[in-house]
Amino acid sequence: MTQLSANDTATHCLISPPGLHELPPPELRLGVLASGNGSNFSAILAAIAAGQLRAEVTVVVYNNPTAKVAERAAAAGIPAVLLDHRAYETRVAMDQAIVAVLRSHRVDWVIMAGWMRRVTQRLIDAFPQKILNIHPSLLPSFPGLAAVEQALTAGVKITGCTVHVVELEVDSGPIIMQAAVPVLPDDSAEKLQARIQIQEHRIFSLAIALAAQQAQKLAQQSESISIR
Ligand code: GRF
């Protein structure tokens, strides 16, 4: 019989620590970026309150002084910080300010819930693979503005919404979750948008939990490899 040395045993234990996948999902510190209404933000808060997402929204950043999301944050007792894009000379300067606010609230995941600004590498590098966006189409179809109108004009019979990891190009990046929504014969942009939003509110928190779990798993795997 081959004799195991103390070294072999130690290596074996480190590669496959017992109960690795039984760890509870991580408690997340979310920073929400929003430009308007904030119904997705409220849906995330509801999922947290219902115990469906182990997370806390530590700050909301908004760029438009009249955005309703600020009222929603105040009602929930969550700090909301206005960073008006018109006050910044460049997109990088704006993103630098956003990063500073997010860091000061010890955010680890950035959630774009109706954030109507292009991002720069400055923001992406500050939270690698940890910025999620929701878009009202089945990406890669209909990226950019007026996605619901684009879908109606194209005459597709099914559209929906997508949660994806944010990369530099608008509405690109690995897809975490999608929900399909049928286009009905008498649909207007408003009616279709309303049905898509119901699905957005359902999948965003699920996608956040899934992305965080995947990230946790990857981190554990690379930790055991580097220990080895
Ligand atoms: C959503 O439809 C989202 O897909 C898009 O902006 C909208 C934001 O809605 N990116 P709300 O502000 O969360 O109500």
Side-chain angles (χ1 to χ4, degrees), residues 34-42 69 72 112-116 133-137 148 161-162 171 193 196-197 200-201:
S35 298
N37 180 16
S39 69
N40 278 287
F41 161 66
S42 292
V69 72
R72 293 179 188 262
M112 292 186 176
W115 181 245
M116 304 304 283
N133 179 48
I134 190 153
H135 182 75
S137 76
V148 178
C161 51
T162 304
D171 300 325
Q193 168 93 36
I196 290 173
Q197 279 231 310
E200 290 187 342
H201 298 162

Side-chain angles (χ1 to χ4, degrees), residues 5-21:
S5 74
N7 232 1
D8 291 333
T9 317
T11 308
H12 176 76
C13 291
L14 288 170
I15 292 168
S16 187
L20 188 68
H21 36 269

